[in-house]
Amino acid sequence: MRPRLFPPLLACVVLLGRPLVAQNVVEVTVAPPQVSLKVGERTGLLATAFDRLGNVIASVRFIWTSNNAQVARVDNNGTVTGVAPGVAIVEARVGSRRGVTAVQVTGVPAAAPPPQPPPQPAPAAAAPAVAIDPVAGQPAGSGPAVALRIEPQTIYLLPSEHTRVTVRALRADGEPAAPLAATWASLVPSIASVSAVGVVVALTPGQGTIQVSAPGGLTATAPTLVQQADVAIREQAPLLLSPGEPDTLHVIVPSQGGRGIDPLALAWASSDTTVAKVSLTGVVTPVGPGSATVTVSGLLQTRTIDVAVHRPVDVLVARPRSQDVIALPLTATAQFHVEALASDNTPVPEAPIRWSLSDSTVASFDPATGTLTGRSIGQTQLVARAPGRGLAVAWTVSVIAGDVRLTPARLALRPGGRKTLVAEFVSAGGAVLGPARATWSSEDSSVVTVAADGTITAVGWGRARVVATAPGGKATAADVFVFGEIVVARSSGGRFDLYAAQRANLADLRRLHADTLGASDPAFAPTGDRLAAVSLRDGNAELYAMDPDGTNVVRLTTDPALDGAPAFTPDGQTVVFHSDRSGKRQVYAVDADGQHLRQLTRDSTNGWPSVSPDGVVIAFVTTRDRNYDVWLMSRDGTEQRQFTRSPQWNERYPQFLRDGSLAYLVERREGDRTVTQVMRADILTGTVTSLSGIDLQISDFAVSPAGDLLALVVPVPGQERARTPMYHVVIVPVGGGVGTPVALPAGPGEQTISPAFLP
């Protein structure tokens, strides 16, 4: 039967005034659970009764029986005698509760030796009385005690092992009471004995009970389990020692919660005392370089552990140099390495290196990889120590803010628009180190305001810088341009300049650029922070890229031929356009800085390119089939293929929309009139839907990013059939919704053309 483990306090505390005779027996155990005897041999069995609280009931009397008295018989004291070979079940019973043990009887007993007369003790002088402190080991306390508690509350021992137990006197609130004179007793002295000061000695395997009594009728018990179990050395092998640095070995019982064994109950030895010595308490002292084996024996068991002592370390070699202050960007990492060398400059790789940080809130360190990581702005010291007096290397590490980057770093918004900027620390190579908890400010709050989380709101027209300052003082800024979402070229004095308007107030058409050198055909980069247009600023109509306010101008083309219809790729790095420079209009591409011009088409006449949102496909117009059709090609000009196939219709001015569909202008004959209409086609399925009505003569168009508004270029009323009509831009809802088209303002003799929407 397994030894019973009791709830600690309930098993070991008997309250004042509880009469033991009133306790009901709920369980009986017999120890040992198995017995082997020879015929004629005798041994004693221990029966223990427990109440419902797990307390030992010492006053009960057991009825002992054997189910096979011809094999083994048992008397009223629990003494069992082997009678004949076989197996018998011996039972101890109290009322309806019982415990059993299996008794195996074998062989024939050896002849008994002749009886010897008892030795006569020699007269001796009386031993001096030894004073015993009845409250030894009890903690200080105050007040009357209502209960006792033995510590430990369950006693585990190996055969022949001993340990010291103590008693606590407790008040009603569980706190220590005034110490009481304690009297110790073993209820099963054949299993374990206990001295007057609480020293318990394990005698034979089994379950016993240690009891303590105190004045006032207070008692407490602790189960005492004596059982054979394997011991182990807690330290991992091999035990690596440094010269001059001893270590202590500990013997434990793993199956009993890893409890320790008193080292004085064991015998210790070293196989080579010129390498390491071991004391009576398990302290291993290194003597010289080499290997040895430490043996520990006792309690009928023997265990060994290998010990290695490395050569003395003479110097440490460190990388990086410890004389330098290490500047570490926040959240970045740095590698550190230390090598231990002996006096002959050979490595001592087995020498342990111990690392420490003076402030782990500033940085963290992984000794396994030698990696230091910056955690917060500040300064700390990293120290590496090797065995030996004064063998240490120290680095001063200053964690600083890395460079700060904003995403996006430039953008355009219409008044009322919002965008959240993201601040990040980056390394010198541009790698993201982590988020930056920045403080935000706007250099012109009349144009842009910024919230604490980096969300900017466009307030008024103009240009402003939003500044993000990270911990440590590092700062960066984003350029924000605020202007109307609809941009057109408006003539004034025979020259076109760029103007913008808001859909909420189309009559408020404002000049976009401060200069008056002329510009038309506007096209925006995906974030709206750059604008490509045709300008006469150098005396010839060329393509230029610039900020929306006309600053930071870069000339993209330098050919006297006509260049036009620019469009950005989604990454903003390339501008595609058409040009007559080869004799026939063809599609070209150039980097946004004006470098690396390349021709994409060569057959027939081609123009008006537009790039898909994923940057993979370019749509363009060609006359290869003797009318205007929309074709598609890869970004590098390969894989050119036809998209529209209407011999009686002309399709022009393709424009990719945000959802990847393609809008274009269709011109066809209906009876005696020409009908123009903006259509949208699904690239994958070819499904076509109408975006505009058919009541306007459209010569060009633009669609808002949301797909809800059209800007149409139409003749000024009354000039539809003129040889050289004047044009203006009208705004209509997509699908020809309710309402009269609203024309953008233009004075007498002025016109508006080439519309574009802010992305």
Side-chain angles (χ1 to χ4, degrees):
M1 193 170 195
R2 285 189 311 181
R4 176 184 173 106
L5 303 182
F6 304 106
L9 185 58
L10 295 180
C12 307
V13 178
V14 178
L15 297 181
L16 179 64
R18 179 187 295 273
L20 291 176
V21 295
Q23 292 176 289
N24 294 322
V25 177
V26 298
E27 185 173 347
V28 174
T29 64
V30 176
Q34 293 180 349
V35 175
S36 180
L37 296 175
K38 291 183 179 181
V39 173
E41 286 186 335
R42 295 189 304 167
T43 188
L45 301 178
L46 171 66
T48 308
F50 300 91
D51 66 11
R52 63 183 180 84
L53 300 179
N55 295 313
V56 175
I57 306 174
S59 61
V60 299
R61 297 187 64 181
F62 298 96
I63 298 175
W64 293 90
T65 59
S66 170
N67 73 337
N68 192 348
Q70 295 177 350
V71 172
R73 63 176 180 266
V74 62
D75 63 17
N76 290 335
N77 296 320
T79 301
V80 62
T81 303
V83 176
V87 176
I89 302 299
V90 174
E91 175 183 286
R93 179 166 53 85
V94 177
S96 62
R97 308 296 181 180
R98 64 178 187 169
V100 298
T101 186
V103 179
Q104 183 178 23
V105 181
T106 62
V108 177
Q116 298 292 330
Q120 299 297 321
V130 178
I132 297 176
D133 184 0
V135 297
Q138 296 186 42
S142 62
V146 299
L148 301 178
R149 185 173 71 202
I150 297 175
E151 293 183 351
Q153 297 172 25
T154 300
I155 304 168
Y156 293 96
L157 291 172
L158 303 180
S160 77
E161 187 185 0
H162 68 273
T163 188
R164 173 77 180 271
V165 296
T166 58
V167 64
R168 281 179 177 267
L170 302 176
R171 301 196 309 247
D173 60 2
E175 294 298 315
L180 297 174
T183 301
W184 294 93
S186 172
L187 302 185
V188 190
S190 62
I191 299 297
S193 66
V194 61
S195 72
V197 292
V199 177
V200 180
V201 179
L203 301 176
T204 60
Q207 177 176 314
T209 302
I210 299 301
Q211 178 179 278
V212 66
S213 304
L218 298 179
T219 62
T221 59
T224 304
L225 305 177
V226 180
Q227 53 188 199
Q228 190 64 42
D230 289 337
V231 300
I233 297 175
R234 188 178 68 187
E235 284 66 34
Q236 292 186 349
L239 181 68
L240 180 62
L241 297 179
S242 301
E245 296 186 3
D247 202 350
T248 301
L249 297 177
H250 302 82
V251 177
I252 61 173
V253 185
S255 63
Q256 297 178 359
R259 70 176 183 87
I261 299 293
D262 185 354
L264 294 175
L266 305 168
W268 303 83
S270 170
S271 65
D272 190 343
T273 56
T274 64
V275 174
K277 296 180 179 179
V278 60
S279 72
L280 296 176
T281 57
V283 177
V284 183
T285 302
V287 178
S291 299
T293 300
V294 170
T295 301
V296 56
S297 58
L299 305 175
L300 306 178
Q301 300 183 57
T302 299
R303 297 291 182 267
T304 62
I305 184 172
D306 292 330
V307 177
V309 180
H310 64 76
R311 292 178 297 154
V313 177
D314 187 65
V315 66
L316 293 180
V317 178
R319 296 192 302 270
R321 296 191 312 167
S322 59
Q323 294 87 345
D324 299 335
V325 175
I326 307 300
L328 183 68
L330 188 65
T331 73
T333 60
Q335 296 297 125
F336 293 81
H337 177 75
V338 169
E339 186 176 30
L341 302 180
S343 58
D344 59 358
N345 286 330
T346 58
V348 187
E350 62 272 22
I353 305 297
R354 300 175 179 88
W355 299 85
S356 63
L357 273 171
S358 63
D359 190 344
S360 58
T361 65
V362 173
S364 61
F365 185 74
D366 182 1
T369 61
T371 302
L372 183 75
T373 304
R375 299 180 62 184
S376 63
I377 303 298
Q379 195 169 86
T380 186
Q381 188 178 57
L382 176 66
V383 179
R385 291 183 173 86
R389 184 171 298 177
L391 286 174
V393 180
W395 295 266
T396 298
V397 180
S398 180
V399 179
I400 62 173
D403 291 333
V404 185
R405 182 175 69 191
L406 293 183
T407 304
R410 296 164 53 88
L411 74 158
L413 295 172
R414 58 180 176 82
R418 295 165 63 88
K419 179 73 174 181
T420 299
L421 303 180
V422 176
E424 297 172 310
F425 286 119
V426 294
S427 66
V432 175
L433 302 176
R437 298 186 298 273
T439 56
W440 300 86
S441 62
S442 172
E443 293 184 350
D444 190 343
S445 58
S446 67
V447 176
V448 173
T449 60
V450 60
D453 65 348
T455 299
I456 59 175
T457 301
V459 178
W461 292 52
R463 175 177 185 166
R465 281 165 46 90
V466 173
V467 180
T469 303
K474 290 281 187 174
T476 190
D479 289 313
V480 183
F481 304 90
V482 182
F483 52 91
E485 63 179 311
I486 306 167
V487 177
V488 297
R490 174 182 172 182
S491 66
S492 178
R495 182 172 52 246
F496 284 96
D497 288 305
L498 298 182
Y499 288 74
Q502 275 285 87
R503 69 171 69 192
N505 186 8
L506 296 175
D508 184 16
L509 193 63
R510 303 187 189 185
R511 186 189 295 273
L512 198 59
H513 296 169
D515 64 55
T516 58
L517 297 179
S520 63
D521 282 11
F524 287 102
T527 55
D529 65 306
R530 292 290 281 173
L531 174 68
V534 177
S535 177
L536 299 171
R537 64 181 60 224
D538 292 317
N540 185 52
E542 302 287 355
L543 289 183
Y544 293 82
M546 63 197 78
D547 289 347
D549 60 358
T551 60
N552 297 326
V553 178
V554 175
R555 185 169 179 171
L556 301 179
T557 62
T558 57
D559 194 280
L562 177 62
D563 300 328
F568 277 93
T569 55
D571 58 11
Q573 301 301 309
T574 303
V575 175
V576 294
F577 63 98
H578 65 216
S579 176
D580 296 340
R581 64 186 63 202
S582 64
K584 288 185 178 181
R585 181 169 294 174
Q586 301 295 338
V587 177
Y588 293 81
V590 66
D591 291 351
D593 59 1
Q595 303 297 313
H596 305 113
L597 178 71
R598 54 267 192 201
Q599 186 174 343
L600 302 182
T601 63
R602 300 183 184 278
D603 296 337
S604 189
T605 299
N606 309 277
W608 296 281
S610 178
V611 187
S612 63
D614 60 8
V616 174
V617 177
I618 297 176
F620 64 101
V621 175
T622 183
T623 58
R624 299 178 194 194
D625 291 336
R626 300 184 180 278
N627 70 325
Y628 292 96
D629 284 308
V630 176
W631 280 49
L632 305 176
M633 63 178 169
S634 298
R635 182 168 172 169
D636 60 359
T638 60
E639 300 184 30
Q640 298 184 15
R641 65 269 192 197
Q642 190 170 1
F643 181 69
T644 62
R645 300 175 182 274
S646 304
Q648 306 303 319
W649 295 4
N650 287 320
E651 292 92 4
R652 305 186 207 186
Y653 314 130
Q655 295 179 25
F656 274 104
L657 305 184
R658 185 181 292 172
D659 63 2
S661 60
L662 186 66
Y664 52 88
L665 183 65
V666 174
E667 180 186 277
R668 67 180 187 275
R669 293 292 297 177
E670 284 191 3
D672 60 350
R673 73 187 186 113
T674 299
V675 175
T676 54
Q677 192 173 11
V678 179
M679 309 296 289
R680 178 171 59 192
D682 186 286
I683 290 293
L684 296 178
T685 66
T687 303
V688 178
T689 57
S690 174
L691 296 180
S692 70
I694 60 173
D695 54 342
L696 294 174
Q697 186 178 327
I698 306 169
S699 62
D700 196 1
F701 75 97
V703 186
S704 66
D708 62 340
L709 212 60
L710 282 171
L712 305 177
V713 179
V714 299
V716 174
Q719 296 193 15
E720 290 85 355
R721 298 182 180 277
R723 182 181 296 274
T724 309
M726 299 283 288
Y727 291 93
H728 64 182
V729 174
V730 297
I731 307 301
V732 299
V734 164
V738 179
T740 303
V742 179
L744 296 180
E750 295 181 344
Q751 55 182 333
T752 52
I753 60 171
S754 59
F757 281 91
L758 184 65

